[in-house]
Each structure stands twice: as structure tokens, then as C-alpha cells.
Amino acid sequence: MNKLDTKTRATILSMLVEGSSMRSISRITGVSINTVTKLLVDAGEACAAYHDEAVRGVAAQRVQCDEIWSFCYAKQKNVAAAKAAPEEAGDVWTWTALDADSKLIVSYLVGGRDSGYAIEFMDDVAKRLANRVQLTTDGHKAYLEAVEGAFGADVDYAMLIKLYGKAPEGPQRRYSPADCIGARKDRIEGDPDIRHVSTSYVERSNLSIRMDNRRFTRLTNAFSKKLDNHIHTLSLYFVHYNFCRMHKSLRMSPAMAAGISDTLRDMEWVVGLIDAREPAPAKRGPYKKRQKEAPAD
């Protein structure tokens, strides 16, 4: 079977991480769109498996959680009228948990924004931490039950509830949300340090997700058409962010700052993760030369 060389595959994955569309990558590299799509799927599966295995026992002190909105195939309000809309069409939320000190993405989950996803997300966050942490979320009520179920009393948990003024009127209302006029810090569990009750780092991380991933760009036709490809893109992005990208303020990758990696990785390393998951070629039996039958007497 023909396979692209490591350098070409690393280039394609780098372009995906930098926000290039799959069709533009196909045109620039001269590779078919099906090959680009298959490479994205392989990379997403390999990166999801690596994150699940490697990002464990994180010795964080402060963890911030937030959700970022996007949609698949059509916005939720347009799904009913959409032609041949798949089952997963509509709003898609990406939950992220970030270590405020190392900037490591500890956990992520793609799905809805209801309590079921909140519980699944918080259970995963709790399993990846090595010690008691101070946890901050926004005022989304689904977090209350989820944090209680995942951590019990073994957490210092506070909510940062933002207060908004009157929404703008007229056409600008669509593009200019209401101004944030203040914030309230509510202690929920344990003894959180009020000075560190903040979601600023995770919100800035979510801004990077929206800027770096074309699928999150607003008011364009670049949105995801398939939920699976949306998830694969995020899996690739988070592993690249954690292990391959130099964080400017840290001068190392978040994984190095968190102590779960000892070196800065690159995209060829990600290609190696893909190759490591491929099954070994089957052994062929010994070649036997066919014997010519002797002519009959």
C-alpha cells in the first residue's frame, strides 16, 4: 500500500493545526482530499489515545473550566429546516479544563451542554489530577451537581458569575454582546482563595481554539459538516498544544511545565504516534516453487 512520507504527512498535519481547510491543503500539497481526510482521522484517533494515556497524575494547584460553542452542519435553530441533516447536527460545545500554572489542557469533551456531559467531563477531570485543587468555573448550573459527584468534599470550588448590562439595540446587537459590568465570586465547596477565583486563562485558551481552528470561525461556511471530523481536529489540536507548541510565557510546552513530558515534541512525533497504532504486516509463508510435472511415458 502506498503511504505518504513522514515529512509530507507532518506538513499536512501542521496546516490542519494552523487552521487551513482540508481542500486548500489538498490543492497546496497535491494530495487528494480523501488522503487528507484519512490522515486527519488517523491523527485524531492517535492523539485522543495518547492524551488519554499520558495526561494523568497532573499535580495542578488551580484548575479553570469553561465551554466554547460551535456547531455542526447547521445551527440549532436551523436544524429542523435543514436538508438531510444528520443526527449530530446542531450546537456543539467543547468543555475544557486548564491548569492555570502550566497552561496544560487537562481534559476536554465534545458534545452538548447539559448536566450529563457536565458529569462526564468532571469525572474525567477528577481522574486526571494527582491532588486536591482549587477549581473555578463559570455560573453554568450543570457544574454544581457534576463537581459534587466527581470530587465530593475533596476540592476548593468557587464559581465566577459574570454580570452583564443591557444588551445593545439595533443591528449591532448581533455582533456586540452586552457589556460585562462586574463579576461575583461565590464559594461553593471547601476553602478557595478568592484572589485566584478566575476563568481568565481558560477563556484565553478558548480564544486560541477559535482563532486556530477554522471550524470555529463565526459567520463563515467553514463550520464542521461531520461531528467525527470536528472531534478529530480538536484531538490533534490539544495534543499539539500540550506537547508540541512552545508557550511564550513559559518558554516550554505546557506538558513540560506540568512535568508529564521531558522534551518539546514536533509534528513528526505525531506522525510517529499514527504509525505506532498501525498493525504489523502479516508474515508471509515460504515461497514454494511449483514443480513441473514429468511427462507421462
Side-chain angles (χ1 to χ4, degrees), residues 57-70:
V58 179
Q61 301 300 319
R62 298 174 293 146
V63 173
Q64 301 177 5
C65 299
D66 197 17
E67 325 86 55
I68 179 173
W69 172 84
S70 58

Side-chain angles (χ1 to χ4, degrees), residues 44-111:
E45 292 175 349
C47 288
Y50 186 81
H51 175 92
D52 184 59
E53 178 184 354
V55 185
R56 296 206 176 258
V58 179
Q61 301 300 319
R62 298 174 293 146
V63 173
Q64 301 177 5
C65 299
D66 197 17
E67 325 86 55
I68 179 173
W69 172 84
S70 58
F71 66 94
C72 175
Y73 195 83
K75 292 182 179 179
Q76 195 66 47
K77 64 180 181 180
N78 299 327
V79 170
K83 185 176 180 180
E87 184 179 353
E88 64 269 16
D91 292 347
V92 177
W93 291 86
T94 303
W95 304 69
T96 57
L98 180 134
D99 176 3
D101 297 304
S102 69
K103 309 303 184 293
L104 179 81
I105 296 292
V106 177
S107 178
Y108 66 94
L109 178 66
V110 180

Side-chain angles (χ1 to χ4, degrees), residues 161-169 173 176-183:
I161 301 173
K162 294 184 177 179
L163 308 174
Y164 293 92
K166 185 179 178 181
E169 298 180 357
R173 180 175 183 176
S176 301
D179 292 333
C180 181
I181 59 175

Side-chain angles (χ1 to χ4, degrees), residues 145-216:
E145 179 185 355
V147 173
E148 174 67 25
F151 292 93
D154 191 25
V155 68
D156 299 313
Y157 174 40
M159 275 185 166
L160 181 73
I161 301 173
K162 294 184 177 179
L163 308 174
Y164 293 92
K166 185 179 178 181
E169 298 180 357
Q172 66 269 26
R173 180 175 183 176
R174 182 178 181 184
Y175 307 104
S176 301
D179 292 333
C180 181
I181 59 175
R184 190 176 75 242
K185 299 178 180 181
D186 291 353
R187 186 191 70 82
I188 307 298
E189 185 65 54
D191 186 25
D193 185 344
I194 296 300
R195 295 173 301 172
H196 296 300
V197 175
S198 172
T199 56
S200 296
Y201 288 126
V202 71
E203 288 176 3
R204 181 59 184 84
S205 173
N206 284 349
L207 174 60
S208 294
I209 293 173
R210 192 171 295 284
M211 292 172 64
D212 294 342
N213 290 276
R214 195 78 173 95
R215 297 167 187 271
F216 284 78

